[in-house]
């Protein structure tokens, strides 16, 4: 008997410990596996749950998900919860909001394809999160209620515990709102471009890594406006003690230049999938490198002509102290652009001849506009 209990316990632990991904066709099997006389024991081993369903399958009772979350609240020590189709799931059953938000052991919450209802779930969360991902879906871009319009405010219940935050949100960060002193990693995608960095510094004063990509240029600034914004940002950064531990940063070159972040960092990643024909590219790159003195520079582009720009080459070739030690060039290729590969290889070879660059690397693959900036 003791052997059977041991095998049941260890078998359940082995199956559940790595996390469970649940699609509609798998929900019935999971519920059957968990709803046994060993339910309490098995639930205890479920620490990571990834839901990828819109509603329970038609052959299951309509309240099956409600019962499942009620059991999770009683028996499990769930640490990670990811809901892929969050808005669609909650539209099917609004009562899930109270049940899911009551899971008090969750430390890592990931809400994808969210709209107004799913954001209400985040805002009403009853435990303190350590990691959070909030991704707004197309169904929720317009018509958000005022309470949900600011992604930072809906997470204020975790203001003093949150350490990493990923936002895919169309709005700009507000100048007023809660400060998150423990957040050290911030990733922002799909947000409107703001030329002033003060809102990020004020809200997240202790960042170590900062990534800003897929920017929506709702306003194209002139060179004069960019320079004016940079001057304001430089003055602000110089008088601030924030971001003293900043180690790596990833964003388009124009934004790096505009923000004027005069902090020494280990690694800069430039995601230039925007205005690569800007004649000031070399000047902006030279200025950014002098501002931040990185040891590692990663430059991602979709157009190989940038690697032939004399000012770009001059900026990378200039001697500086401390020097760039590792240079990584990545080119997202348009199909059939073999010549671009040749240019990339030529550039890497030329930079290898510079004594202060210890390693130069290259990478190229087919360009997928929907995914080119998502995975690092």
């Amino acid at each position: 008997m003791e052997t059977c209990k041991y095998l049941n316990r260890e078998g359940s632990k082995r199956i559940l410990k790595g996390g469970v991904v649940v699609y509609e066709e798998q929900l019935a099997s999971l519920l059957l596996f968990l709803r046994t006389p060993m339910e309490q024991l098995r639930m205890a081993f479920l620490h990571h749950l990834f839901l990828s369903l819109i509603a329970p399958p038609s052959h299951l009772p309509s309240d099956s998900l409600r019962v499942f979350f009620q059991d999770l609240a009683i028996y499990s020590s769930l640490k990670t919860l990811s809901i892929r189709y969050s808005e669609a799931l909650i539209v099917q059953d609004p009562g899930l909001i109270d049940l899911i938000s009551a899971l008090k052991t969750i430390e890592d919450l990931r809400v994808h394809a969210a709209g107004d209802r799913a954001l209400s779930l985040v805002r009403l969360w009853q435990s303190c999160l350590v990691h959070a991902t909030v991704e707004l879906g197309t169904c929720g871009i317009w018509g958000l209620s005022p309470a949900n319009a600011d992604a930072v405010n809906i997470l204020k219940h975790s203001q003093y515990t949150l350490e990493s935050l990923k936002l895919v949100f169309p709005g700009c960060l507000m100048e007023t709102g809660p400060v998150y002193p423990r957040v050290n990693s911030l990733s922002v995608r799909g947000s409107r471009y703001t030329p002033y960095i003060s809102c990020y510094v004020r809200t997240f004063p202790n960042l170590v890594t900062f990534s800003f990509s897929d920017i929506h240029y709702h306003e194209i600034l002139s060179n004069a406006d960019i320079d004016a914004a940079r001057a304001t940002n430089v003055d602000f950064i110089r008088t601030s003690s924030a971001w003293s531990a900043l180690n790596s940063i990833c964003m388009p070159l124009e934004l790096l230049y505009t923000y004027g972040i005069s902090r020494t960092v280990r690694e800069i990643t430039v995601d230039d999938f925007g205005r690569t024909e800007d004649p000031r590219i070399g000047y902006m790159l030279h200025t950014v490198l002098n501002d931040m003195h990185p040891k590692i520079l990663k430059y991602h582009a979709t157009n190989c002509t940038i690697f032939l720009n004399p000012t770009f080459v001059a900026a990378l070739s200039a001697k500086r102290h401390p020097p760039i030690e590792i240079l990584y060039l990545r080119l997202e290729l348009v199909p059939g652009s073999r010549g671009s590969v040749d240019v990339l290889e030529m550039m890497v070879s030329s930079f290898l001849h510079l004594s202060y660059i210890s390693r130069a690397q290259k990478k190229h693959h087919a360009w997928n506009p929907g995914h080119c900036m998502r995975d690092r």
Side-chain angles (χ1 to χ4, degrees), residues 191-205:
S191 179
R192 289 202 303 271
Y193 166 71
T194 173
Y196 299 103
I197 200 171
S198 56
C199 56
Y200 291 102
V201 175
R202 187 199 65 80
T203 307
F204 308 102

Side-chain angles (χ1 to χ4, degrees), residues 5-120:
K5 288 182 178 179
Y6 172 81
L7 291 175
N8 200 320
R9 180 177 68 250
E10 291 305 307
S12 301
K13 184 177 181 180
R14 185 178 295 271
I15 291 171
L16 298 174
K17 70 175 183 178
V20 176
V21 181
V22 183
Y23 297 92
E24 289 183 15
E25 62 271 17
Q26 297 165 331
L27 180 61
S29 298
L30 177 65
L31 296 180
L32 182 63
F33 176 74
L34 292 174
R35 290 176 185 170
T36 68
M38 304 291 290
E39 176 181 33
Q40 183 172 354
L41 177 62
R42 289 180 172 178
M43 283 277 190
F45 294 131
L46 182 58
H47 292 163
H48 311 284
L49 178 63
F50 306 89
L51 288 179
S52 185
L53 51 84
I54 296 175
S58 57
H59 63 277
L60 290 178
S62 59
D63 66 344
S64 56
L65 270 180
R66 288 195 181 199
V67 174
F68 176 55
F69 281 111
Q70 286 171 348
D71 290 344
L72 282 177
I74 297 171
Y75 299 124
S76 82
S77 299
L78 201 63
K79 301 299 183 186
T80 302
L81 176 63
S82 174
I83 309 175
R84 185 173 182 182
Y85 303 109
S86 59
E87 187 72 8
L89 184 65
I90 292 172
V91 165
Q92 292 286 333
D93 187 355
L96 289 174
I97 289 180
D98 291 335
L99 293 173
I100 297 175
S101 64
L103 296 172
K104 300 188 186 313
T105 58
I106 300 293
E107 296 178 354
D108 184 351
L109 178 65
R110 309 172 193 179
V111 177
H112 303 276
D116 215 33
R117 294 172 183 82
L119 292 179
S120 294

Side-chain angles (χ1 to χ4, degrees), residues 322-336:
I324 298 171
E325 296 178 5
I326 298 175
L327 175 64
Y328 181 99
L329 302 179
R330 190 176 95 177
L331 184 62
E332 304 286 348
L333 296 177
V334 175

Side-chain angles (χ1 to χ4, degrees), residues 80-297:
T80 302
L81 176 63
S82 174
I83 309 175
R84 185 173 182 182
Y85 303 109
S86 59
E87 187 72 8
L89 184 65
I90 292 172
V91 165
Q92 292 286 333
D93 187 355
L96 289 174
I97 289 180
D98 291 335
L99 293 173
I100 297 175
S101 64
L103 296 172
K104 300 188 186 313
T105 58
I106 300 293
E107 296 178 354
D108 184 351
L109 178 65
R110 309 172 193 179
V111 177
H112 303 276
D116 215 33
R117 294 172 183 82
L119 292 179
S120 294
L121 164 67
V122 178
R123 182 166 50 85
L124 296 172
W125 202 258
Q126 296 179 28
S127 66
C128 292
L129 302 170
V130 178
H131 311 282
T133 298
V134 180
E135 178 180 349
L136 207 65
T138 54
C139 60
I141 287 180
W142 308 112
L144 291 181
S145 65
N148 293 331
D150 181 1
V152 173
N153 268 306
I154 66 174
L155 286 160
K156 61 184 178 182
H157 48 68
S158 301
Q159 177 179 356
Y160 298 107
T161 58
L162 203 62
E163 295 179 6
S164 69
L165 176 60
K166 295 181 180 179
L167 294 175
V168 184
F169 219 78
C172 292
L173 202 64
M174 301 293 108
E175 284 286 352
T176 58
V179 174
Y180 292 79
R182 297 189 64 180
V183 169
N184 57 66
S185 177
L186 175 65
S187 174
V188 182
R189 281 184 42 230
S191 179
R192 289 202 303 271
Y193 166 71
T194 173
Y196 299 103
I197 200 171
S198 56
C199 56
Y200 291 102
V201 175
R202 187 199 65 80
T203 307
F204 308 102
N206 296 308
L207 287 185
V208 176
T209 63
F210 184 21
S211 174
F212 199 141
S213 57
D214 284 352
I215 293 172
H216 293 171
Y217 284 99
H218 70 297
E219 179 182 3
I220 303 298
L221 300 180
S222 67
N223 287 340
D225 289 337
I226 289 174
D227 290 337
R230 174 181 164 80
T232 300
N233 290 328
V234 166
D235 288 342
F236 177 81
I237 288 288
R238 283 176 179 167
T239 58
S240 171
S241 61
W243 292 13
S244 59
L246 191 66
N247 186 58
S248 67
I249 191 164
C250 171
M251 60 181 64
L253 179 60
E254 179 184 291
L255 201 53
L256 279 168
Y257 172 80
T258 306
Y259 280 172
I261 304 170
S262 52
R263 296 286 187 268
T264 298
V265 301
R266 181 175 181 272
E267 179 178 315
I268 294 177
T269 300
V270 181
D271 266 331
D272 246 343
F273 293 89
R275 295 179 281 179
T276 58
E277 301 301 324
D278 193 319
R280 298 205 308 167
I281 263 184
Y283 167 72
M284 289 192 290
L285 180 60
H286 178 80
T287 303
V288 167
L289 294 178
N290 285 342
D291 282 346
M292 307 185 79
H293 307 290
K295 289 186 176 181
I296 301 172
L297 174 63

